[in-house]
Amino acid sequence: MDQGAGIDGLSVADLSRCYERGLFPMADTRFDTDFYLVDLQKRGVIPLDAFHVPHRLARTVRADRFSVTIDQDFASVIAACAAAKPGRLETWINAPIERLYGQLHALGRAHSVEVREPGGALVGGLYGVSLGRAFFGESMFSKARDVSKIALTHLVGRLIAGGYRLLDTQFLTDHLTQFGAV
């Protein structure tokens, strides 16, 4: 068994191999004890050379009202992504998934972007998996206007600076198409 065995023996090494094949885990609900692997026929992606920042968001990012950090509070970011909120009472992130991604983070394969308001409270962020020159965005959350978008903008800047080529968003949503997702 590989280091960090998860549910049904899935380890972080196994999870990394799943990403190499385009698979990723999801649970039906937050309180499931199991999860399944998803194999999408079509995926949402943002080619980094085509990333678009809407004008209003660019002004918000330049205003520098929030502080943005990387990999400083992974556990809090994934917990916030997994939390219920008005309009979304269930989530696909359960405890086994949280544990596996925490182990991936400890190995330097999963990363988080944290957005904090001036008082230091975590108000937004995202996390995902790095593999080669691609980053697989898993989930994002926002407790204030535009903060998940600010996290995404900072992530893309770091990915471009690091020589990445692609941000895999898994699903294509209207929210992500404004940034150039196809």
Side-chain angles (χ1 to χ4, degrees):
M1 201 47 44
D2 289 323
Q3 171 190 353
I7 191 96
D8 294 329
L10 187 71
S11 70
V12 293
D14 295 330
L15 184 56
S16 293
R17 285 190 289 277
C18 287
Y19 272 92
E20 291 170 3
R21 292 185 208 111
L23 305 171
F24 57 91
M26 290 185 84
D28 284 326
T29 71
R30 172 79 175 130
F31 299 103
D32 279 347
T33 58
D34 211 348
F35 58 81
Y36 54 92
L37 296 173
V38 176
D39 184 11
L40 297 174
Q41 296 304 308
K42 289 186 174 185
R43 300 181 78 94
V45 296
I46 299 176
L48 296 178
D49 60 358
F51 184 72
H52 169 73
V53 179
H55 294 295
R56 188 184 60 74
L57 177 61
R59 282 193 309 271
T60 301
V61 171
R62 282 192 304 271
D64 208 23
R65 182 176 156 229
F66 300 95
S67 64
V68 179
T69 56
I70 307 295
D71 288 338
Q72 298 300 304
D73 200 354
F74 185 88
S76 294
V77 168
I78 195 168
C81 288
K85 64 180 187 177
R88 188 193 80 188
L89 300 178
E90 278 300 338
T91 178
W92 60 270
I93 304 168
N94 64 4
I97 288 174
E98 276 189 84
R99 279 193 297 278
L100 276 171
Y101 283 96
Q103 292 167 352
L104 277 178
H105 174 69
L107 295 172
R109 296 182 197 154
H111 303 281
S112 61
V113 177
E114 306 91 17
V115 181
R116 296 183 186 283
E117 59 188 6
L122 183 65
V123 292
L126 59 81
Y127 78 96
V129 174
S130 176
L131 180 65
R133 291 175 32 167
F135 188 86
F136 298 81
E138 281 300 318
S139 189
M140 55 178 39
F141 80 99
S142 180
K143 294 181 180 178
R145 182 183 175 125
D146 289 338
V147 291
S148 64
K149 296 174 186 177
I150 291 168
L152 179 62
T153 302
H154 278 268
L155 171 68
V156 169
R158 290 186 64 100
L159 293 176
I160 291 170
Y164 284 72
R165 305 258 328 199
L166 181 74
L167 172 55
D168 183 309
T169 64
Q170 299 169 344
F171 300 100
L172 184 61
T173 66
D174 290 339
H175 171 72
L176 292 171
T177 57
Q178 69 183 310
F179 297 102
V182 293

PDB file of all heavy atoms in Angstrom, residues 48-70:
ATOM      1  N   LEU A  48      -3.861  29.395 -20.260  1.00  0.00           N
ATOM      2  CA  LEU A  48      -3.348  30.537 -19.508  1.00  0.00           C
ATOM      3  C   LEU A  48      -2.999  31.719 -20.408  1.00  0.00           C
ATOM      4  O   LEU A  48      -3.110  32.871 -19.985  1.00  0.00           O
ATOM      5  CB  LEU A  48      -2.156  30.119 -18.655  1.00  0.00           C
ATOM      6  CG  LEU A  48      -2.513  29.106 -17.563  1.00  0.00           C
ATOM      7  CD1 LEU A  48      -1.278  28.694 -16.788  1.00  0.00           C
ATOM      8  CD2 LEU A  48      -3.587  29.648 -16.635  1.00  0.00           C
ATOM      9  N   ASP A  49      -2.625  31.438 -21.653  1.00  0.00           N
ATOM     10  CA  ASP A  49      -2.323  32.549 -22.556  1.00  0.00           C
ATOM     11  C   ASP A  49      -3.582  33.259 -23.045  1.00  0.00           C
ATOM     12  O   ASP A  49      -3.505  34.291 -23.703  1.00  0.00           O
ATOM     13  CB  ASP A  49      -1.457  32.087 -23.727  1.00  0.00           C
ATOM     14  CG  ASP A  49      -2.112  31.001 -24.571  1.00  0.00           C
ATOM     15  OD1 ASP A  49      -3.229  30.545 -24.251  1.00  0.00           O
ATOM     16  OD2 ASP A  49      -1.477  30.587 -25.565  1.00  0.00           O
ATOM     17  N   ALA A  50      -4.754  32.718 -22.694  1.00  0.00           N
ATOM     18  CA  ALA A  50      -6.021  33.341 -23.079  1.00  0.00           C
ATOM     19  C   ALA A  50      -6.811  33.815 -21.861  1.00  0.00           C
ATOM     20  O   ALA A  50      -7.975  34.185 -21.991  1.00  0.00           O
ATOM     21  CB  ALA A  50      -6.861  32.348 -23.892  1.00  0.00           C
ATOM     22  N   PHE A  51      -6.193  33.817 -20.680  1.00  0.00           N
ATOM     23  CA  PHE A  51      -6.891  34.243 -19.470  1.00  0.00           C
ATOM     24  C   PHE A  51      -7.310  35.700 -19.602  1.00  0.00           C
ATOM     25  O   PHE A  51      -6.532  36.560 -20.007  1.00  0.00           O
ATOM     26  CB  PHE A  51      -5.998  34.060 -18.248  1.00  0.00           C
ATOM     27  CG  PHE A  51      -6.691  34.379 -16.945  1.00  0.00           C
ATOM     28  CD1 PHE A  51      -7.655  33.533 -16.429  1.00  0.00           C
ATOM     29  CD2 PHE A  51      -6.366  35.519 -16.232  1.00  0.00           C
ATOM     30  CE1 PHE A  51      -8.299  33.810 -15.235  1.00  0.00           C
ATOM     31  CE2 PHE A  51      -6.993  35.808 -15.030  1.00  0.00           C
ATOM     32  CZ  PHE A  51      -7.963  34.954 -14.537  1.00  0.00           C
ATOM     33  N   HIS A  52      -8.556  35.972 -19.252  1.00  0.00           N
ATOM     34  CA  HIS A  52      -9.113  37.319 -19.364  1.00  0.00           C
ATOM     35  C   HIS A  52      -9.600  37.789 -17.993  1.00  0.00           C
ATOM     36  O   HIS A  52     -10.358  37.091 -17.327  1.00  0.00           O
ATOM     37  CB  HIS A  52     -10.285  37.314 -20.357  1.00  0.00           C
ATOM     38  CG  HIS A  52     -11.069  38.577 -20.339  1.00  0.00           C
ATOM     39  ND1 HIS A  52     -10.596  39.753 -20.882  1.00  0.00           N
ATOM     40  CD2 HIS A  52     -12.292  38.869 -19.826  1.00  0.00           C
ATOM     41  CE1 HIS A  52     -11.502  40.700 -20.708  1.00  0.00           C
ATOM     42  NE2 HIS A  52     -12.534  40.199 -20.067  1.00  0.00           N
ATOM     43  N   VAL A  53      -9.169  38.977 -17.592  1.00  0.00           N
ATOM     44  CA  VAL A  53      -9.640  39.581 -16.347  1.00  0.00           C
ATOM     45  C   VAL A  53     -10.636  40.677 -16.718  1.00  0.00           C
ATOM     46  O   VAL A  53     -10.257  41.664 -17.367  1.00  0.00           O
ATOM     47  CB  VAL A  53      -8.476  40.183 -15.526  1.00  0.00           C
ATOM     48  CG1 VAL A  53      -8.996  40.822 -14.250  1.00  0.00           C
ATOM     49  CG2 VAL A  53      -7.430  39.135 -15.218  1.00  0.00           C
ATOM     50  N   PRO A  54     -11.907  40.531 -16.332  1.00  0.00           N
ATOM     51  CA  PRO A  54     -12.890  41.591 -16.609  1.00  0.00           C
ATOM     52  C   PRO A  54     -12.431  42.926 -16.009  1.00  0.00           C
ATOM     53  O   PRO A  54     -11.776  42.963 -14.964  1.00  0.00           O
ATOM     54  CB  PRO A  54     -14.161  41.078 -15.932  1.00  0.00           C
ATOM     55  CG  PRO A  54     -13.990  39.584 -15.900  1.00  0.00           C
ATOM     56  CD  PRO A  54     -12.523  39.370 -15.679  1.00  0.00           C
ATOM     57  N   HIS A  55     -12.777  44.031 -16.662  1.00  0.00           N
ATOM     58  CA  HIS A  55     -12.292  45.366 -16.257  1.00  0.00           C
ATOM     59  C   HIS A  55     -12.613  45.709 -14.809  1.00  0.00           C
ATOM     60  O   HIS A  55     -11.744  46.202 -14.083  1.00  0.00           O
ATOM     61  CB  HIS A  55     -12.868  46.445 -17.190  1.00  0.00           C
ATOM     62  CG  HIS A  55     -12.372  46.336 -18.585  1.00  0.00           C
ATOM     63  ND1 HIS A  55     -11.047  46.529 -18.926  1.00  0.00           N
ATOM     64  CD2 HIS A  55     -13.015  46.023 -19.736  1.00  0.00           C
ATOM     65  CE1 HIS A  55     -10.884  46.352 -20.221  1.00  0.00           C
ATOM     66  NE2 HIS A  55     -12.073  46.034 -20.744  1.00  0.00           N
ATOM     67  N   ARG A  56     -13.853  45.445 -14.380  1.00  0.00           N
ATOM     68  CA  ARG A  56     -14.211  45.783 -12.994  1.00  0.00           C
ATOM     69  C   ARG A  56     -13.376  44.985 -12.006  1.00  0.00           C
ATOM     70  O   ARG A  56     -12.906  45.504 -10.995  1.00  0.00           O
ATOM     71  CB  ARG A  56     -15.703  45.550 -12.750  1.00  0.00           C
ATOM     72  CG  ARG A  56     -16.170  46.076 -11.389  1.00  0.00           C
ATOM     73  CD  ARG A  56     -17.628  45.760 -11.101  1.00  0.00           C
ATOM     74  NE  ARG A  56     -17.930  44.343 -11.087  1.00  0.00           N
ATOM     75  CZ  ARG A  56     -17.579  43.492 -10.100  1.00  0.00           C
ATOM     76  NH1 ARG A  56     -16.909  43.940  -9.062  1.00  0.00           N
ATOM     77  NH2 ARG A  56     -17.900  42.227 -10.166  1.00  0.00           N
ATOM     78  N   LEU A  57     -13.149  43.708 -12.313  1.00  0.00           N
ATOM     79  CA  LEU A  57     -12.331  42.880 -11.436  1.00  0.00           C
ATOM     80  C   LEU A  57     -10.882  43.370 -11.423  1.00  0.00           C
ATOM     81  O   LEU A  57     -10.244  43.382 -10.364  1.00  0.00           O
ATOM     82  CB  LEU A  57     -12.394  41.407 -11.856  1.00  0.00           C
ATOM     83  CG  LEU A  57     -11.523  40.466 -11.038  1.00  0.00           C
ATOM     84  CD1 LEU A  57     -11.938  40.463  -9.564  1.00  0.00           C
ATOM     85  CD2 LEU A  57     -11.587  39.049 -11.614  1.00  0.00           C
ATOM     86  N   ALA A  58     -10.375  43.786 -12.560  1.00  0.00           N
ATOM     87  CA  ALA A  58      -9.002  44.310 -12.613  1.00  0.00           C
ATOM     88  C   ALA A  58      -8.857  45.508 -11.676  1.00  0.00           C
ATOM     89  O   ALA A  58      -7.849  45.628 -10.967  1.00  0.00           O
ATOM     90  CB  ALA A  58      -8.638  44.684 -14.049  1.00  0.00           C
ATOM     91  N   ARG A  59      -9.864  46.372 -11.643  1.00  0.00           N
ATOM     92  CA  ARG A  59      -9.827  47.517 -10.714  1.00  0.00           C
ATOM     93  C   ARG A  59      -9.828  47.037  -9.269  1.00  0.00           C
ATOM     94  O   ARG A  59      -9.111  47.577  -8.424  1.00  0.00           O
ATOM     95  CB  ARG A  59     -11.019  48.444 -10.972  1.00  0.00           C
ATOM     96  CG  ARG A  59     -10.861  49.339 -12.170  1.00  0.00           C
ATOM     97  CD  ARG A  59     -11.905  50.459 -12.203  1.00  0.00           C
ATOM     98  NE  ARG A  59     -13.273  50.008 -12.033  1.00  0.00           N
ATOM     99  CZ  ARG A  59     -14.088  49.638 -13.015  1.00  0.00           C
ATOM    100  NH1 ARG A  59     -13.667  49.651 -14.253  1.00  0.00           N
ATOM    101  NH2 ARG A  59     -15.320  49.243 -12.754  1.00  0.00           N
ATOM    102  N   THR A  60     -10.632  46.021  -8.982  1.00  0.00           N
ATOM    103  CA  THR A  60     -10.698  45.483  -7.617  1.00  0.00           C
ATOM    104  C   THR A  60      -9.360  44.888  -7.212  1.00  0.00           C
ATOM    105  O   THR A  60      -8.877  45.115  -6.093  1.00  0.00           O
ATOM    106  CB  THR A  60     -11.813  44.410  -7.520  1.00  0.00           C
ATOM    107  OG1 THR A  60     -13.054  45.004  -7.883  1.00  0.00           O
ATOM    108  CG2 THR A  60     -11.904  43.840  -6.115  1.00  0.00           C
ATOM    109  N   VAL A  61      -8.742  44.133  -8.107  1.00  0.00           N
ATOM    110  CA  VAL A  61      -7.432  43.533  -7.807  1.00  0.00           C
ATOM    111  C   VAL A  61      -6.396  44.631  -7.582  1.00  0.00           C
ATOM    112  O   VAL A  61      -5.613  44.573  -6.625  1.00  0.00           O
ATOM    113  CB  VAL A  61      -6.990  42.569  -8.937  1.00  0.00           C
ATOM    114  CG1 VAL A  61      -5.554  42.129  -8.746  1.00  0.00           C
ATOM    115  CG2 VAL A  61      -7.923  41.364  -9.000  1.00  0.00           C
ATOM    116  N   ARG A  62      -6.373  45.649  -8.440  1.00  0.00           N
ATOM    117  CA  ARG A  62      -5.403  46.747  -8.302  1.00  0.00           C
ATOM    118  C   ARG A  62      -5.621  47.542  -7.013  1.00  0.00           C
ATOM    119  O   ARG A  62      -4.676  48.115  -6.469  1.00  0.00           O
ATOM    120  CB  ARG A  62      -5.467  47.681  -9.506  1.00  0.00           C
ATOM    121  CG  ARG A  62      -4.761  47.137 -10.726  1.00  0.00           C
ATOM    122  CD  ARG A  62      -4.590  48.212 -11.796  1.00  0.00           C
ATOM    123  NE  ARG A  62      -5.840  48.832 -12.200  1.00  0.00           N
ATOM    124  CZ  ARG A  62      -6.636  48.385 -13.178  1.00  0.00           C
ATOM    125  NH1 ARG A  62      -6.300  47.325 -13.855  1.00  0.00           N
ATOM    126  NH2 ARG A  62      -7.754  49.029 -13.470  1.00  0.00           N
ATOM    127  N   ALA A  63      -6.864  47.590  -6.510  1.00  0.00           N
ATOM    128  CA  ALA A  63      -7.153  48.343  -5.282  1.00  0.00           C
ATOM    129  C   ALA A  63      -6.419  47.744  -4.083  1.00  0.00           C
ATOM    130  O   ALA A  63      -6.228  48.411  -3.069  1.00  0.00           O
ATOM    131  CB  ALA A  63      -8.653  48.383  -5.016  1.00  0.00           C
ATOM    132  N   ASP A  64      -6.025  46.485  -4.190  1.00  0.00           N
ATOM    133  CA  ASP A  64      -5.205  45.832  -3.164  1.00  0.00           C
ATOM    134  C   ASP A  64      -5.845  45.892  -1.776  1.00  0.00           C
ATOM    135  O   ASP A  64      -5.167  46.082  -0.770  1.00  0.00           O
ATOM    136  CB  ASP A  64      -3.814  46.473  -3.152  1.00  0.00           C
ATOM    137  CG  ASP A  64      -2.747  45.514  -2.680  1.00  0.00           C
ATOM    138  OD1 ASP A  64      -2.953  44.294  -2.774  1.00  0.00           O
ATOM    139  OD2 ASP A  64      -1.693  45.989  -2.215  1.00  0.00           O
ATOM    140  N   ARG A  65      -7.161  45.720  -1.741  1.00  0.00           N
ATOM    141  CA  ARG A  65      -7.891  45.782  -0.470  1.00  0.00           C
ATOM    142  C   ARG A  65      -7.692  44.531   0.371  1.00  0.00           C
ATOM    143  O   ARG A  65      -7.789  44.563   1.601  1.00  0.00           O
ATOM    144  CB  ARG A  65      -9.379  45.977  -0.769  1.00  0.00           C
ATOM    145  CG  ARG A  65     -10.214  46.090   0.455  1.00  0.00           C
ATOM    146  CD  ARG A  65     -11.672  46.372   0.154  1.00  0.00           C
ATOM    147  NE  ARG A  65     -12.423  45.890   1.297  1.00  0.00           N
ATOM    148  CZ  ARG A  65     -13.481  45.127   1.232  1.00  0.00           C
ATOM    149  NH1 ARG A  65     -13.962  44.753   0.080  1.00  0.00           N
ATOM    150  NH2 ARG A  65     -14.090  44.725   2.309  1.00  0.00           N
ATOM    151  N   PHE A  66      -7.429  43.412  -0.281  1.00  0.00           N
ATOM    152  CA  PHE A  66      -7.279  42.126   0.401  1.00  0.00           C
ATOM    153  C   PHE A  66      -5.834  41.666   0.332  1.00  0.00           C
ATOM    154  O   PHE A  66      -5.103  42.000  -0.600  1.00  0.00           O
ATOM    155  CB  PHE A  66      -8.166  41.071  -0.274  1.00  0.00           C
ATOM    156  CG  PHE A  66      -9.627  41.408  -0.260  1.00  0.00           C
ATOM    157  CD1 PHE A  66     -10.219  42.040  -1.343  1.00  0.00           C
ATOM    158  CD2 PHE A  66     -10.416  41.098   0.833  1.00  0.00           C
ATOM    159  CE1 PHE A  66     -11.568  42.352  -1.343  1.00  0.00           C
ATOM    160  CE2 PHE A  66     -11.766  41.411   0.853  1.00  0.00           C
ATOM    161  CZ  PHE A  66     -12.343  42.041  -0.238  1.00  0.00           C
ATOM    162  N   SER A  67      -5.429  40.876   1.309  1.00  0.00           N
ATOM    163  CA  SER A  67      -4.106  40.251   1.223  1.00  0.00           C
ATOM    164  C   SER A  67      -4.285  38.837   0.674  1.00  0.00           C
ATOM    165  O   SER A  67      -5.254  38.147   0.989  1.00  0.00           O
ATOM    166  CB  SER A  67      -3.413  40.226   2.588  1.00  0.00           C
ATOM    167  OG  SER A  67      -4.135  39.415   3.489  1.00  0.00           O
ATOM    168  N   VAL A  68      -3.351  38.437  -0.176  1.00  0.00           N
ATOM    169  CA  VAL A  68      -3.409  37.132  -0.823  1.00  0.00           C
ATOM    170  C   VAL A  68      -2.143  36.368  -0.476  1.00  0.00           C
ATOM    171  O   VAL A  68      -1.035  36.891  -0.610  1.00  0.00           O
ATOM    172  CB  VAL A  68      -3.550  37.276  -2.353  1.00  0.00           C
ATOM    173  CG1 VAL A  68      -3.585  35.915  -3.025  1.00  0.00           C
ATOM    174  CG2 VAL A  68      -4.795  38.084  -2.707  1.00  0.00           C
ATOM    175  N   THR A  69      -2.327  35.132  -0.017  1.00  0.00           N
ATOM    176  CA  THR A  69      -1.191  34.267   0.302  1.00  0.00           C
ATOM    177  C   THR A  69      -1.359  32.934  -0.415  1.00  0.00           C
ATOM    178  O   THR A  69      -2.447  32.595  -0.882  1.00  0.00           O
ATOM    179  CB  THR A  69      -1.073  34.028   1.820  1.00  0.00           C
ATOM    180  OG1 THR A  69      -2.315  33.496   2.316  1.00  0.00           O
ATOM    181  CG2 THR A  69      -0.739  35.311   2.565  1.00  0.00           C
ATOM    182  N   ILE A  70      -0.288  32.207  -0.477  1.00  0.00           N
ATOM    183  CA  ILE A  70      -0.277  30.899  -1.124  1.00  0.00           C
ATOM    184  C   ILE A  70       0.174  29.863  -0.098  1.00  0.00           C
ATOM    185  O   ILE A  70       1.180  30.063   0.592  1.00  0.00           O
ATOM    186  CB  ILE A  70       0.699  30.873  -2.329  1.00  0.00           C
ATOM    187  CG1 ILE A  70       0.411  32.016  -3.313  1.00  0.00           C
ATOM    188  CG2 ILE A  70       0.716  29.510  -3.016  1.00  0.00           C
ATOM    189  CD1 ILE A  70      -0.919  31.954  -3.999  1.00  0.00           C
TER     190      ILE A  70
END
